[in-house]
Amino acid sequence: MDFRFGISMLVPPSKQEWQAKCRQAEQAGFDVIGVSDHVGLASAFPSLVAAAEVTERVRLNTYMLNAGFYNPTMLARDVATADQLTGGRIEVGIGSGSLKVEFDMAGLDFGTPGERVAHVRRTAEALKNPHQYPQPTQEGGAAVMVAGWGDRMLAVAAELADVVALTGGPTGGPTPTLSPADVLEERTTYVRKFAGERRIELNAMVPAVVITEDRKAAAQELSHQLFTGLTVDEILELPSAIVGTPRECADQIRAHRERFGFTYFTVFEPFLADFAKVIEHLR
């Protein structure tokens, strides 16, 4: 597959500021604009519809919806409506949700891990079979992305999703944990084996982009921040940290496609300008 590059952004209170950011992301060469789903943040679908008003090319996705917040049938209705209003540009990403505090704030039952995975399955099935009115603009409905790491979630993703997003490590604790490259490689192999002949796209979440002439020094700094528990060399092997000159970063992206099968990379808003320099070397 060809590369795709997404950016997950926070939605400010001002519509004008939000739309200006969306135009900037499209002009910077990103293929997908994403909006996350957390209690206290802006709602994803109105934000994506507003983004569609001022962009032409980019796809628009939820990165990620917390499936446990939604009734599957009603969510399928919202996705189909948003797809109509954006001219068929919606992609919907869902995960099981790992922050119990958000469920508590929303007055919802957190449930067991097995119950959360089962709800993701029901949600993905509803999104892949949108028989309710209204009908989405895209034939077959919006593309569905499922995020996960453990066997049960990745099995659901491999069976039902168009895009499988690897979280980079277990997500059950209060803070994300990143696993070394050999574990990540095993996870991507598991997904491809479970998917069989299904054509799926693999997405890598990229929480760190550092443009620098000194990769090892930058990785050392990251080892004290986001990547605790990993050595410098382990950090530099992961798609979670894109580090180096723009050309070196582009070479890393190509290497991650060859080793792990990732063709779709999503960075976060603070790295928009830096990652745009990397995109230039990959087009």
Side-chain angles (χ1 to χ4, degrees):
M1 293 185 181
D2 293 333
F3 286 122
R4 288 206 300 161
F5 303 108
I7 183 163
S8 181
M9 301 199 294
L10 293 176
V11 182
S14 161
K15 178 181 179 181
Q16 290 73 24
E17 185 182 353
W18 168 238
Q19 291 184 325
K21 289 202 298 184
C22 294
R23 285 193 296 268
Q24 181 186 4
E26 183 171 63
Q27 291 164 3
F30 287 91
D31 303 292
V32 186
I33 289 174
V35 174
S36 61
D37 184 42
H38 293 287
V39 176
L41 296 184
S43 177
F45 292 116
S47 302
L48 296 177
V49 170
E53 294 176 0
V54 294
T55 57
E56 298 177 359
R57 175 185 56 81
V58 291
R59 306 283 288 173
L60 304 158
N61 85 333
T62 59
Y63 198 84
M64 300 286 181
L65 287 185
N66 189 330
F69 291 170
Y70 300 94
N71 172 281
T73 298
M74 302 309 291
L75 178 60
R77 179 200 65 172
D78 289 350
V79 171
T81 302
D83 198 55
Q84 286 186 341
L85 296 177
T86 61
R89 285 196 274 159
I90 289 291
E91 297 180 359
V92 55
I94 58 174
S96 64
S98 61
L99 298 176
K100 183 178 183 299
V101 63
E102 291 198 325
F103 283 76
D104 293 341
M105 292 170 67
L108 297 170
D109 181 29
F110 189 51
T112 66
E115 289 170 339
R116 295 199 301 278
V117 171
H119 189 72
V120 170
R121 171 178 287 279
R122 290 191 296 270
T123 302
E125 289 171 342
L127 292 169
K128 295 302 293 181
N129 295 283
H131 298 307
Q132 301 83 13
Y133 179 84
Q135 288 297 301
T137 297
Q138 297 177 76
E139 184 177 353
V144 174
M145 170 192 285
V146 173
W149 185 259
D151 285 357
R152 288 181 294 185
M153 274 297 295
L154 290 183
V156 171
E159 179 185 347
L160 297 172
D162 303 289
V163 184
V164 180
L166 278 295
T167 58
T171 57
T175 58
T177 302
L178 291 172
S179 297
D182 59 339
V183 179
L184 176 61
E185 190 169 17
E186 183 275 327
R187 295 284 76 194
T188 59
T189 300
Y190 176 87
V191 169
R192 287 194 295 270
K193 181 178 179 180
F194 210 98
E197 296 299 316
R198 291 190 69 241
R199 179 181 172 86
I200 57 172
E201 188 176 21
L202 293 184
N203 172 265
M205 301 181 181
V206 185
V209 178
V210 183
I211 302 301
T212 178
E213 297 285 342
D214 191 339
R215 298 186 70 227
K216 293 228 169 187
Q220 183 66 52
E221 185 66 25
L222 288 173
S223 71
H224 300 304
Q225 301 170 358
L226 295 173
F227 297 81
T228 56
L230 296 177
T231 68
V232 166
D233 289 340
E234 286 174 331
I235 291 169
L236 293 176
E237 281 191 289
L238 291 173
S240 302
I242 304 299
V243 182
T245 66
R247 186 174 296 279
E248 287 174 331
C249 291
D251 288 341
Q252 290 168 56
I253 295 289
R254 295 187 187 98
H256 296 323
R257 177 171 62 181
E258 292 302 313
R259 179 174 182 181
F260 305 110
F262 290 117
T263 56
Y264 181 3
F265 295 79
T266 299
V267 305
F268 296 90
E269 183 178 337
F271 308 117
L272 188 156
D274 282 343
F275 199 75
K277 300 172 186 174
V278 180
I279 293 175
E280 291 177 6
H281 287 275
L282 292 161
R283 294 305 189 191

